[in-house]
Amino acid sequence: MDFLYNIFIIIAVVLIFNFVIFVHELGHFLAAKWRGMEVDRFQIWFGKPIWKKTIGGVQYGLGFIPFGGFVSLPQMASMEGAEGKVEGEDKRGLKAAPPLDRIIVAFAGPLFSFGLAVVVACVVWGVGKPDTRIDTTTLGYVQAGSPAAIAGLQAGDKIIEVEGNAIDCWAGPPETSLVFNIALSEGDTVDFKIIRDGKEMEISSGFEIPETTFYQRRAMRRVGIMHENVTIVKDVYPNGPAALAGLKSGDVVTHVNGQAVYSPSAVHSEALAGKPFEVTYTRQGEVLKSMFTPQKPIDSGEFDCGIKSWDYSTSTVYSEGTSNPTPLAQVSSHVRMMWTTITKVISPKSSIGPQHLQSPVGIGLHYFDLLKIPDHGWRLMLVFTVLLNVNLAILNLLPLPVLDGGHITTSFFEIIFRKPIPARIMITVQNSFVLVLFSFMLFILFKDVGDRASKDDGVPEKIEFAAPSAKASEGAENNDLEQ
């Protein structure tokens, strides 16, 4: 059943993605027909057609290179590099369309994409947008020796601004998300405004970028912090340090070596040192203490505390709900996000680069992941479709050859200087840019596949602890819990 379900999702992703491309190209097609221009082909995906059919003098087809689509318009600038050459095209003696007509036709594609974004946004407005947030900005753990620790950030600090931007969640809406603002920060430091003991403070922290393999994307900036979270024990490993210390399900860990604990990460981190440490916890209102002696699990190289899982069922940190943002609010938010992404990609002070963009395959994989989410995956798919169409509209308006913005730019050039750019120059520039574009898309595709191949599935590794010796068992039995 899982196999058939995955096949169904793959088919749905292909249909959705191709529909988005179809609407964009339909804009060009209808505008060209409206302006009386010749239309040779209407094709989804580039390259030689694997399927084609001629209707009313227009060849409709599906290419074999899954990188978008096109409408072949011989009265626009030549696009032989991407679309191929239509037999007999150069023998018809067609004149180039007037610059205004070319601008209208080029602009129609992004306009239709933007229009589709608005239509889907109206649907989201009606059915609701799932909002999943880590609804806190309080630090639960600061990694020892990390840039944040060196800068002076402490567990319990409440972060209210990152790089001068107000934040209200750890992860959630990008504009007010702590993680997002750290990742997109610029310069040599990340500036925080925090509240500690009721007082506002400003702290500038360095950052680190974890190493990745050559086939993965460059990692995002990190400073070494975790958000606060509940510290209620759910399950312990048999024979592990926690079990030997007497901890049980439902115990609430409050201190490690006398220091207040705001996150399970503090307990796990202390165990990694491999030295005994004291844990203070509460059980049914009673304050208890036990000594932990970290152990290395069988077939594992790191010390562990022996707590298998934590009970987040009563956590107020994770929040889920549904909002109904208006189409204007949705589109405006995506436009701002797109502008932020473009500026960060081209900024020399940012750690975000072109490699962090996604290829059509990466977009398809993202759709696949969304549709597999139970209950509200289809709603998240709609939200992402709004974002995708806004991005498609904006990116295609960039004044680069091959893109719609390039056609608009050259047409304005012709209006201003009253003469077209020489055909040989245009063909050379177009073909060169097609080569660059396809090479870039292959590079991004390589990163998409690399990230997917190395993706952690999030399932904790199953670990086992050796049974304690008779002497250790006797010591564990005598390890009385102290109030």
Side-chain angles (χ1 to χ4, degrees):
M1 289 299 293
D2 287 343
F3 175 76
L4 293 177
Y5 181 65
N6 287 338
I7 293 297
F8 172 77
I9 292 179
I10 291 173
I11 293 173
V13 169
V14 171
L15 292 176
I16 292 168
F17 193 63
N18 282 320
F19 179 72
V20 169
I21 298 172
F22 170 78
V23 170
H24 181 92
E25 298 304 326
L26 182 63
H28 295 311
F29 178 80
L30 294 178
K33 286 292 188 180
W34 173 48
R35 304 307 293 180
M37 294 173 60
E38 191 78 15
V39 180
D40 285 327
R41 284 189 289 173
F42 188 150
Q43 182 168 310
I44 302 300
W45 296 356
F46 291 112
K48 186 177 180 180
I50 57 177
W51 172 86
K52 62 182 178 179
K53 186 176 182 62
T54 301
I55 302 174
V58 179
Q59 177 185 296
Y60 299 89
L62 179 69
F64 74 95
I65 304 176
F67 290 155
F70 63 87
V71 177
S72 180
L73 303 168
Q75 292 173 283
M76 298 281 284
S78 175
M79 290 286 290
E80 291 181 11
E83 303 169 3
K85 186 176 180 180
V86 176
E87 187 176 352
E89 176 181 310
D90 56 347
K91 299 178 181 178
R92 288 175 289 177
L94 294 174
K95 294 182 179 180
L100 180 59
D101 287 348
R102 300 205 303 271
I103 291 173
I104 292 173
V105 172
F107 184 73
L111 180 63
F112 268 53
S113 293
F114 194 81
L116 180 58
V118 173
V119 170
V120 179
C122 289
V123 177
V124 173
W125 187 24
V127 302
K129 172 187 175 184
D131 286 327
T132 302
R133 300 158 56 98
I134 300 180
D135 211 2
T136 182
T137 62
T138 299
L139 301 186
Y141 171 70
V142 179
Q143 183 180 0
S146 67
I150 295 172
L153 287 170
Q154 301 175 8
D157 290 344
K158 180 178 177 62
I159 300 178
I160 58 175
E161 287 185 9
V162 176
E163 294 288 294
N165 301 318
I167 60 170
D168 61 11
C169 63
W170 196 274
E175 293 173 323
T176 57
S177 161
L178 181 144
V179 173
F180 186 83
N181 278 278
I182 290 177
L184 268 67
S185 61
E186 295 184 332
D188 298 327
T189 61
V190 181
D191 298 330
F192 297 95
K193 180 180 285 188
I194 69 170
I195 296 178
R196 180 185 297 169
D197 299 328
K199 298 180 180 179
E200 288 190 4
M201 301 174 57
E202 294 185 359
I203 293 179
S204 293
S205 169
F207 60 87
E208 57 188 7
I209 300 177
E211 292 186 5
T212 55
T213 59
F214 73 96
Y215 54 82
Q216 293 175 290
R217 287 182 170 86
R218 188 185 189 195
M220 300 293 189
R221 292 183 175 190
R222 299 179 184 176
V223 297
I225 56 178
M226 281 288 293
H227 58 81
E228 65 174 344
N229 215 331
V230 296
T231 52
I232 305 173
V233 177
K234 182 177 182 180
D235 198 8
V236 297
Y237 287 106
N239 305 321
L244 295 178
L247 261 72
K248 300 178 180 179
S249 177
D251 291 345
V252 182
V253 179
T254 60
H255 293 77
V256 170
N257 287 335
Q259 297 294 318
V261 169
Y262 300 90
S263 168
S265 297
V267 183
H268 291 287
S269 177
E270 191 68 32
L272 286 174
K275 299 178 181 180
F277 60 95
E278 182 185 69
V279 172
T280 304
Y281 56 100
T282 61
R283 177 182 296 165
Q284 298 178 349
E286 185 179 9
V287 179
L288 306 168
K289 294 182 180 180
S290 286
M291 289 299 297
F292 269 46
T293 302
Q295 297 179 31
K296 290 185 177 181
I298 299 173
D299 299 327
S300 176
E302 292 186 335
F303 285 97
D304 193 273
C305 66
I307 298 178
K308 186 176 182 179
S309 60
W310 301 84
D311 187 357
Y312 299 118
S313 61
T314 60
S315 175
T316 58
V317 173
Y318 300 103
S319 64
E320 293 186 1
T322 301
S323 61
N324 298 84
T326 65
L328 178 60
Q330 294 177 61
V331 172
S332 298
S333 175
H334 293 321
V335 169
R336 290 194 298 270
M337 186 187 304
M338 187 62 186
W339 173 253
T340 299
T341 301
I342 293 175
T343 56
K344 298 300 181 181
V345 166
I346 64 177
S347 172
K349 298 180 180 180
S350 169
S351 299
I352 305 297
Q355 63 180 295
H356 291 102
L357 301 176
Q358 283 190 320
S359 71
V361 172
I363 294 171
L365 289 172
H366 189 63
Y367 265 123
F368 181 84
D369 292 337
L370 292 177
L371 287 173
K372 292 196 70 174
I373 297 175
D375 301 328
H376 56 248
W378 64 277
R379 289 188 178 93
L380 292 173
M381 178 272 294
L382 292 173
V383 173
F384 182 67
T385 300
V386 178
L387 172 63
L388 176 61
N389 279 278
V390 170
N391 288 3
L392 187 61
I394 294 176
L395 286 176
N396 269 280
L397 287 174
L398 295 177
L400 300 174
V402 180
L403 302 182
D404 299 325
H407 288 297
I408 295 173
T409 301
T410 55
S411 297
F412 272 118
F413 178 92
E414 184 173 339
I415 292 174
I416 294 172
F417 295 98
R418 298 184 179 181
K419 63 178 181 179
I421 298 175
R424 288 186 178 180
I425 295 178
M426 281 299 302
I427 292 174
T428 301
V429 172
Q430 295 276 21
N431 291 345
S432 298
F433 194 80
V434 166
L435 179 61
V436 172
L437 179 61
F438 281 166
S439 299
F440 176 70
M441 293 304 292
L442 288 174
F443 169 72
I444 298 301
L445 173 61
F446 179 75
K447 296 295 184 180
D448 282 332
V449 174
D451 284 349
R452 176 62 55 149
S454 58
K455 184 178 180 181
D456 185 1
D457 60 9
V459 178
E461 181 184 358
K462 183 179 180 180
I463 61 176
E464 295 181 3
F465 290 91
S469 63
K471 183 176 181 180
S473 299
E474 182 181 351
E477 292 175 358
N478 294 330
N479 185 16
D480 296 331
L481 303 178
E482 301 176 0
Q483 185 170 347

